[in-house]
Amino acid sequence: MTFKMDVKQLNLFYGDKQALFNVNLGLPALQTTALIGPSGCGKSSFLKCLNRMNDIVLQAHVEGQVLLDGQDIYAPSVDVVSLRTKVGMVFQKPNPFPRSIYENVAYGPRIHRLFKTKSELDQIVEKSLVRAGLWGEVKDRLPQPAMRLSGGQQQRLCIARAIAVNPEVILMDEPCSALDPIATAKVEELIDELREKFTIVIVTHNLQQAARVSQQTAFFHSGYLVEARETGALFTTPHDERTQGYITGRYG
Amino acid sequence: MNNHIVKAYDDELKALHSLIRHMGELTFEQISKATQSIIECDAVLAREVIDRDHEINLLETKVDDLAIRILALRQPVASDLRTVVAALKISNQVERIADYATNIAKFALILKDMPLFPEVKGLSTLVQIPMRMIKDALKAFELSDLNLALQVWHMDREVDVLYQAYLHKIFSEMIEDPKNVGPCTQLLFAAKNIERIGDQSQNIAEAVYTMITGKPFKESDNVKNEPKI
Ligand SMILES: Nc1ncnc2c1ncn2[C@@H]1O[C@H](COP(=O)(O)OP(=O)(O)OP(=O)(O)O)[C@@H](O)[C@H]1O
Ligand SMILES: [Mg+2]
């Protein structure tokens, strides 16, 4: 199996408090990996290590290796801005900029100068919105403020914004927690389609969602990666007692 | 294993177990009475067995309903999922076993108008192990007892040996005196049904094995390490 990203012996500290302990996890290319585990176990922290979002956290300190296509993203030569275009992120609450729908998607390509002409930019915007499954709903109102979209539409707009810069990996931290079941289903369907081009990591508290969208599931507990297996195997025959207790809803 | 945080979930799983336990007890009684009705030529008892079969069918429906409800509402995973799936399979297998008991009772109704026949008593020996098998298979389900499930699985071999021996005896009776052919044929049918009870109980043991281990039962993995009985 080829890993798009490969995390080796990762330790994360916030000041002198250790948040992640010796985590080893490979992210198979063009697959979705779900991260599950109780609140505070380190899922978001782990996710942030994958595109160095922890760099902006004071006192955060990372040890170990995070390889993207075999290259350590923490190597001194790495340009963090270009890393974040390769490893994009979608957050828990939809957070569109207070600009038009069009400008939200065009923002990244503008910053990274991914086009020469206005019509090229139009194409990127359209393609991203199509891929995010939002085009049909917004194509006649691109100049309108993004804030007028519903929550579910805003989340798909954020996904369109993330994929507009042609990332290779997309990180999502509880992307559906503010959405109703229909909007959630649309995002899940989208995740499944995006898998054709992108490697995806999703943090979710919804175990059924992890089961539905991912091919690999990783269970974290108190900063440790307890078990990472093929999703079907993890949900039918977990190996570890702690995984079993967590996914079946039993007292630990 | 620990309890679920949601207590109602535990209650539902317990209810599922208790339905199957009830099914098993009734079926055990049915087999015993059906065999007795042949041996004692008791048509009233045979009819009672036949009339009660629907109670077991009803329990099977109840297990199905509850299991489907749990699947829909609790979305069980891991050992819980395997338990619910096993319950669905096992209730179906127990229902089949109850049908065999009913068949045996039906043979009793035919046999009662035929000449009395000594080999009939052999049935009571033949039925001992299958009865123990269904009882222990369901106990293994209830207690998640892997060793007991494997014991049940291995018991089926003894049933086959006893069944062959019984066939042999019946066939020689038939050869010895052609007027035995009528009742002997009915006994053969009854014996076959008893042997099938052993087979089905073995299937239950396999379902319990899969429930506990999460793996499909493979004969080759388990013939060698026969558990102590
Ligand atoms: N910036 C920070 N400074 C100090 N400690 C932090 C910081 N961010 C997170 N932590 C701590 O690290 C641990 C892991 O937090 P993290 O946010 O990764 O958990 P999580 O698994 O994402 O939880 P949740 O499911 O509630 O989002 C927690 O104990 C948290 O308090
Ligand atoms: Mg988090």
Side-chain angles (χ1 to χ4, degrees):
Chain A
M1 171 145 18
T2 52
F3 292 131
K4 182 68 189 173
M5 297 191 79
D6 201 359
V7 176
K8 293 182 172 173
Q9 285 296 317
L10 182 77
N11 288 288
L12 171 72
F13 304 81
Y14 292 115
D16 49 14
K17 182 183 176 301
Q18 189 162 359
L20 291 172
F21 300 82
N22 294 323
V23 176
N24 290 288
L25 180 64
L27 306 175
L30 304 184
Q31 288 197 9
T32 300
T33 295
L35 311 180
I36 60 170
S39 196
C41 68
K43 304 177 297 293
S44 299
S45 297
F46 179 80
L47 205 63
K48 287 181 202 154
C49 289
L50 298 178
N51 73 345
R52 295 186 54 172
M53 291 285 275
N54 284 321
D55 285 13
I56 44 178
V57 178
L58 286 172
Q59 297 197 320
H61 165 65
V62 173
E63 284 173 6
Q65 280 189 318
V66 178
L67 306 179
L68 173 65
D69 294 323
Q71 306 292 316
D72 191 351
I73 65 168
Y74 285 92
S77 58
V78 168
D79 168 29
V80 177
V81 176
S82 85
L83 169 70
R84 295 211 185 114
T85 63
K86 284 190 193 158
V87 185
M89 186 132 181
V90 175
F91 296 88
Q92 175 171 12
K93 280 214 207 112
N95 58 345
F97 308 130
R99 294 276 185 284
S100 70
I101 294 169
Y102 183 96
E103 279 308 319
N104 264 273
V105 185
Y107 175 81
R110 274 194 213 287
I111 289 193
H112 299 288
R113 304 180 186 285
L114 299 180
F115 59 94
K116 291 199 189 73
T117 63
K118 167 81 164 87
S119 85
E120 265 179 50
L121 179 60
D122 288 350
Q123 270 174 24
I124 293 175
V125 170
E126 174 172 347
K127 201 173 93 191
S128 306
L129 285 167
V130 168
R131 275 206 202 141
L134 194 59
W135 179 248
E137 288 158 73
V138 302
K139 64 176 190 293
D140 300 323
R141 46 195 281 210
L142 294 176
Q144 285 184 18
M147 294 304 186
R148 281 193 207 155
L149 295 172
S150 75
Q153 289 170 330
Q154 286 184 20
Q155 193 59 304
R156 277 178 288 145
L157 180 68
C158 293
I159 293 173
R161 189 176 67 194
I163 60 189
V165 294
N166 258 321
E168 295 163 18
V169 180
I170 303 176
L171 311 176
M172 302 186 178
D173 199 345
E174 301 182 51
C176 299
S177 59
L179 307 185
D180 78 14
I182 300 292
T184 298
K186 285 185 184 166
V187 171
E188 288 179 3
E189 170 60 17
L190 174 59
I191 290 172
D192 212 44
E193 284 166 12
L194 293 177
R195 201 151 59 77
E196 241 176 70
K197 297 201 107 108
F198 310 100
T199 301
I200 298 169
V201 187
I202 178 173
V203 170
T204 177
H205 279 291
N206 181 334
L207 299 179
Q208 268 79 42
Q209 176 167 70
R212 286 191 298 260
V213 303
S214 73
Q215 286 70 53
Q216 171 176 251
T217 298
F219 172 65
F220 283 79
H221 191 269
S222 311
Y224 290 88
L225 172 61
V226 173
E227 188 168 351
R229 312 244 314 279
E230 189 272 316
T231 296
L234 187 121
F235 280 101
T236 52
T237 49
H239 284 163
D240 195 283
E241 279 293 313
R242 287 166 292 177
T243 317
Q244 160 85 17
Y246 183 71
I247 65 176
T248 61
R250 287 182 165 85
Y251 288 107
Chain B
M1 195 172 297
N2 288 313
N3 290 330
H4 286 96
I5 297 163
V6 177
K7 189 178 162 294
Y9 190 1
D10 276 335
D11 294 343
E12 285 165 7
L13 288 173
K14 272 185 207 141
L16 199 60
H17 273 111
S18 104
L19 279 171
I20 287 187
R21 189 189 322 121
H22 189 183
M23 255 185 116
E25 283 161 3
L26 256 180
T27 303
F28 187 84
E29 213 180 296
Q30 291 279 88
I31 302 168
S32 162
K33 284 181 177 165
T35 315
Q36 196 188 344
S37 75
I38 289 194
I39 295 168
E40 297 178 357
C41 248
D42 187 339
V44 177
L45 190 60
R47 288 223 173 72
E48 188 193 307
V49 170
I50 295 165
D51 289 345
R52 281 198 93 172
D53 187 51
H54 77 278
E55 283 182 42
I56 292 157
N57 297 344
L58 197 73
L59 281 168
E60 189 202 7
T61 315
K62 281 191 180 166
V63 171
D64 285 0
D65 288 350
L66 181 55
I68 288 167
R69 209 184 136 77
I70 293 173
L71 287 172
L73 302 185
R74 307 284 179 203
Q75 291 149 358
V77 293
S79 63
D80 296 332
L81 175 62
R82 303 201 305 268
T83 300
V84 175
V85 170
L88 278 168
K89 270 198 202 161
I90 289 171
S91 74
N92 182 258
Q93 286 154 340
V94 174
E95 193 270 334
R96 293 270 296 275
I97 292 175
D99 286 345
Y100 295 134
T102 310
N103 291 344
I104 295 167
K106 285 176 183 162
F107 298 129
L109 291 182
I110 303 172
L111 273 166
K112 77 172 181 7
D113 300 323
M114 293 185 169
L116 263 180
F117 192 72
E119 278 316 323
V120 86
K121 293 220 170 57
L123 283 182
S124 77
T125 319
L126 191 60
V127 83
Q128 295 304 320
I129 299 177
M131 283 178 72
R132 180 161 161 213
M133 284 174 76
I134 179 176
K135 193 176 201 167
D136 284 357
L138 293 180
K139 196 167 152 198
F141 170 65
E142 180 146 6
L143 304 176
S144 280
D145 186 335
L146 186 59
N147 193 52
L148 188 56
L150 288 171
Q151 279 178 26
V152 171
W153 195 88
H154 284 284
M155 279 184 222
D156 195 49
R157 227 177 18 206
E158 292 175 62
V159 177
D160 289 341
V161 171
L162 288 172
Y163 175 60
Q164 291 304 329
Y166 190 68
L167 288 194
H168 199 74
K169 246 192 284 178
I170 300 278
F171 280 132
S172 27
E173 295 288 345
M174 285 161 94
I175 294 164
E176 221 162 78
D177 188 348
K179 79 176 178 311
N180 286 343
V181 167
C184 278
T185 309
Q186 298 305 317
L187 285 184
L188 285 181
F189 289 148
K192 181 71 200 157
N193 276 272
I194 289 175
E195 190 260 344
R196 296 290 294 141
I197 292 173
D199 288 347
Q200 275 302 333
S201 303
Q202 195 184 33
N203 290 341
I204 297 177
E206 290 180 11
V208 173
Y209 177 94
T210 302
M211 172 185 85
I212 297 169
T213 63
K215 288 185 290 202
F217 184 89
K218 275 217 223 86
E219 186 165 349
S220 51
D221 295 350
N222 294 286
V223 189
K224 282 159 283 163
N225 42 15
E226 186 168 347
K228 283 192 223 102
I229 299 183

